[in-house]
Amino acid sequence: MAIVMDADRMSRTLARIAHEILERHRGLDGLALIGIRARGVPIAARLAGQLRALTGTDVPTGTLDITLYRDDLMRHAVGPQPVIRRTEINFSIDDRLILLVDDVLYTGRTIRAALDALIDFGRPRAIQLVVLVDRGHRELPIRADYVGRNIPTSRQQSVQVRLTEIDGRDEVEVEG
Amino acid sequence: MTAATTLHSRHLLGIADLEPPEIELVLETALAMKEIGTRPIKKVPTLRGRTIINLFFEPSTRTRMSFELAEKRLSADTLGMTTSGSSAAKGETLADTARTLEAMAPDMIVMRHGASGAPHQLARICRASIINAGDGMHEHPTQALLDALTMLERKRRLAGLQVAIIGDLVHSRVLRSNVLLLTRMGAKVRACGPATLVPPGLDRLGVQVTTSIDAALDGADVVMMLRVQHERMSGLFLPSVREYFTFFGLTPARLERAAPDVIVMHPGPMNRGVEIDSAVADGPWSVILDQVANGVAVRMAVLYLLAGGEAEA
């Protein structure tokens, strides 16, 4: 039960990531942000806002629901289906550099699903991963290119990212 | 109203079994599914490895193709059976057909049948999830759901909508499913048809029944035309097609009585010049082709939601 990131620290973390993105991709040419539902979406929007404030450039931003690509979807014969939300990518991802954005990187299975989904939309020049928190315990060979904070956890713990847009406040808490 | 997060039954036999939050869930899911049809690769891996049998004991083009497309977009393995050339034509009973299919262990069966209640019988025999694609003069739930999706997209709401359903009421499973869905969601339904084609007791379903098309159209937000089903008419229901068109055909002039932003729907196939004038069918009011596109999305939603199995109580 510990708050490992408060609102102030979160905003500085996102500002730092925005600067790192700028450093690696001067001009932001051919860049696009795609947030994974649910909490990757507001994070992507905030990064787009930061990049606009820093450069005056609007980076195209989309949202991705990966439910239909999950590898655990049909494994349990009994049980309700996860609710599907809308995917909105209103630009061609062909030849773009896609920054895929999520809140927590854990097993890597969500990112695997997101990569599969993205490839169905076209052929990006490259895909890079942005996460607010990397908590370890990867089950697939996946790593993030931009990490807000590495937080060592045990598998029994859970990491809750709360964002104003969804949860009414900004914080990251490790529970259990 | 909050949408449900799951369907309580593992079959879709009729709108009669769906609660309003479940209807909302199907429509919300369908709106998300619609986006898949706009992608360069119109396919997601969700139902990979699932087997779906399409069992059509009655002729059907759009419903069968719509289901097949929905199944393929979700990556299911599908196989179809139509009556001609099937064992049903050789005299096998439905129960025996069901047991035979059951032995092949499909995950879902989509069935259209001329007898009301046939999918319910199948559901008692088979372990697979059964989806009713139209049973006799009873229900056609996915049609009502796609109609609702079309209304929702165009009118942004269902509650309070004035919906006129006009035509061959007695033979129409589309009418029954639509009435059940629309009244559940708070829309006002007026049904209109010649007295010989009005089923007794329709008013008890909360529908205003009239034989005057002008009364039915007055201020309507949505007009749904039903096909005159010659193939189901064994008796003398209508004097002539021309007389039917004179009294019940939808023309641009008649449509002026409806709301200024009225939309016109038809489940298809249309009989131009019988229940609907070509100028209306091809006119700016028509959302008939939207209905077809929405049919695929609604069926994808239903297949997805039923594939998860029953909710724990």
Side-chain angles (χ1 to χ4, degrees):
Chain A
M1 294 288 271
I3 305 289
V4 294
M5 192 186 284
D6 60 13
D8 188 45
R9 179 137 190 196
M10 191 185 288
S11 96
R12 276 185 285 122
T13 302
L14 290 176
R16 194 198 79 227
I17 293 176
H19 277 103
E20 280 182 30
I21 292 170
L22 258 179
E23 210 174 288
R24 285 213 230 165
H25 310 285
R26 250 170 256 125
L28 305 177
D29 257 0
L31 218 66
L33 288 156
I34 292 180
I36 300 174
R37 280 192 191 273
R39 285 173 183 72
V41 176
I43 297 176
R46 289 190 202 183
L47 287 172
Q50 298 261 5
L51 293 170
R52 191 184 313 111
L54 290 169
T55 65
T57 310
D58 274 315
V59 178
T61 306
T63 66
L64 185 63
D65 182 292
I66 56 103
T67 312
L68 295 169
Y69 291 83
R70 278 169 58 157
D71 58 5
D72 58 350
L73 198 55
M74 295 296 160
R75 282 174 60 88
H76 316 287
V78 170
Q81 293 283 70
V83 175
I84 313 275
R85 310 273 176 213
R86 254 172 273 190
T87 291
E88 288 164 37
I89 301 177
N90 304 319
F91 48 86
S92 164
I93 69 164
D94 285 342
D95 298 318
R96 275 188 200 275
L97 191 137
I98 302 297
L99 294 171
L100 190 61
V101 183
D102 205 2
D103 55 348
V104 180
L105 178 58
Y106 181 29
T107 61
R109 289 178 191 269
T110 298
I111 304 304
R112 196 283 310 161
L115 293 175
D116 274 1
L118 274 183
I119 299 303
D120 283 355
F121 281 86
R123 188 176 187 282
R125 178 155 55 85
I127 300 174
Q128 295 184 341
L129 179 59
V130 182
V131 295
L132 185 62
V133 173
D134 183 348
R135 61 168 293 191
H137 305 289
R138 218 73 79 235
E139 294 168 4
L140 296 171
I142 281 171
R143 61 163 179 79
D145 299 274
Y146 305 88
V147 179
R149 179 144 184 225
N150 286 293
I151 298 176
T153 58
S154 75
R155 283 176 187 275
Q156 286 70 43
Q157 289 175 311
S158 90
V159 175
Q160 298 298 326
V161 170
R162 300 194 182 90
L163 299 169
T164 312
E165 295 89 330
I166 295 171
D167 313 289
R169 64 180 184 282
D170 281 350
E171 68 185 19
V172 179
E173 185 177 22
V174 177
E175 292 176 346
Chain B
M1 184 170 2
T2 50
T5 56
T6 182
L7 300 180
H8 77 271
S9 168
R10 62 192 185 89
H11 306 295
L12 178 63
L13 301 176
I15 298 295
D17 304 326
L18 293 182
E19 300 292 332
E22 295 179 296
I23 293 168
E24 297 234 312
L25 174 66
V26 175
L27 298 179
E28 279 296 316
T29 308
L31 280 171
M33 291 293 186
K34 241 189 129 167
E35 181 270 328
I36 294 167
T38 67
R39 297 182 189 180
I41 296 175
K42 301 173 180 55
K43 197 178 181 75
V44 291
T46 315
L47 295 185
R48 222 168 27 154
R50 299 287 179 120
T51 310
I52 304 179
I53 295 179
N54 297 311
L55 208 50
F56 281 74
F57 291 96
E58 269 191 343
S60 161
T61 312
R62 79 193 59 215
T63 304
R64 186 169 53 80
M65 288 180 67
S66 180
F67 266 110
E68 266 183 43
L69 195 54
E71 291 156 5
K72 289 186 194 318
R73 288 204 172 151
L74 292 172
S75 303
D77 294 318
T78 72
L79 54 160
M81 188 185 99
T82 45
T83 356
S84 56
S86 75
S87 46
K90 296 170 193 156
E92 189 177 61
T93 66
L94 178 63
D96 283 332
T97 305
R99 286 187 196 100
T100 307
L101 295 175
E102 177 65 14
M104 299 180 194
D107 296 289
M108 296 194 211
I109 299 174
V110 176
M111 183 168 80
R112 166 164 293 187
H113 200 282
S116 305
H120 303 69
Q121 188 185 2
L122 205 62
R124 282 191 293 274
I125 296 171
C126 294
R127 264 174 308 214
S129 286
I130 309 298
I131 298 174
N132 181 1
D135 62 327
M137 296 187 273
H138 178 229
E139 277 225 49
H140 191 352
T142 56
Q143 177 70 43
L145 288 162
L146 76 89
D147 289 338
L149 183 65
T150 308
M151 288 180 222
L152 197 61
E153 272 188 332
R154 292 296 179 130
K155 301 291 175 191
R156 301 273 146 222
R157 68 196 164 102
L158 293 177
L161 280 184
Q162 298 284 347
V163 183
I165 306 180
I166 299 164
D168 179 352
L169 305 176
V170 71
H171 297 105
S172 180
R173 54 197 175 208
V174 176
L175 169 82
R176 223 161 315 272
S177 288
N178 260 295
V179 165
L180 289 169
L181 188 152
L182 291 168
T183 52
R184 250 156 237 227
M185 301 310 282
K188 301 263 176 289
V189 183
R190 311 119 172 225
C192 167
T196 49
L197 293 177
V198 176
L202 186 56
D203 49 338
R204 286 202 300 270
L205 292 175
V207 177
Q208 187 194 328
V209 181
T210 172
T211 53
S212 152
I213 186 168
D214 288 339
L217 287 174
D218 197 32
D221 300 302
V222 177
V223 179
M224 189 183 295
M225 300 307 293
L226 298 175
R227 187 170 64 90
V228 175
Q229 302 192 39
H230 299 288
E231 75 275 17
R232 289 190 212 278
M233 294 189 193
S234 43
L236 286 168
F237 288 96
L238 299 171
S240 77
V241 162
R242 221 173 70 191
E243 184 181 308
Y244 183 85
F245 184 71
T246 307
F247 287 101
F248 296 99
L250 189 64
T251 59
R254 282 222 163 100
L255 206 48
E256 280 176 22
R257 303 186 73 95
D261 58 348
V262 65
I263 56 170
V264 174
M265 309 175 70
H266 195 299
M270 278 186 282
N271 295 316
R272 285 171 188 263
V274 181
E275 69 264 0
I276 190 164
D277 190 294
S278 272
V280 175
D282 305 327
W285 316 275
S286 170
V287 295
I288 295 170
L289 296 177
D290 293 24
Q291 289 175 270
V292 178
N294 284 339
V296 178
V298 154
R299 288 169 181 129
M300 286 171 78
V302 168
L303 292 167
Y304 169 75
L305 291 168
L306 291 180
E310 269 171 292
E312 280 123 308

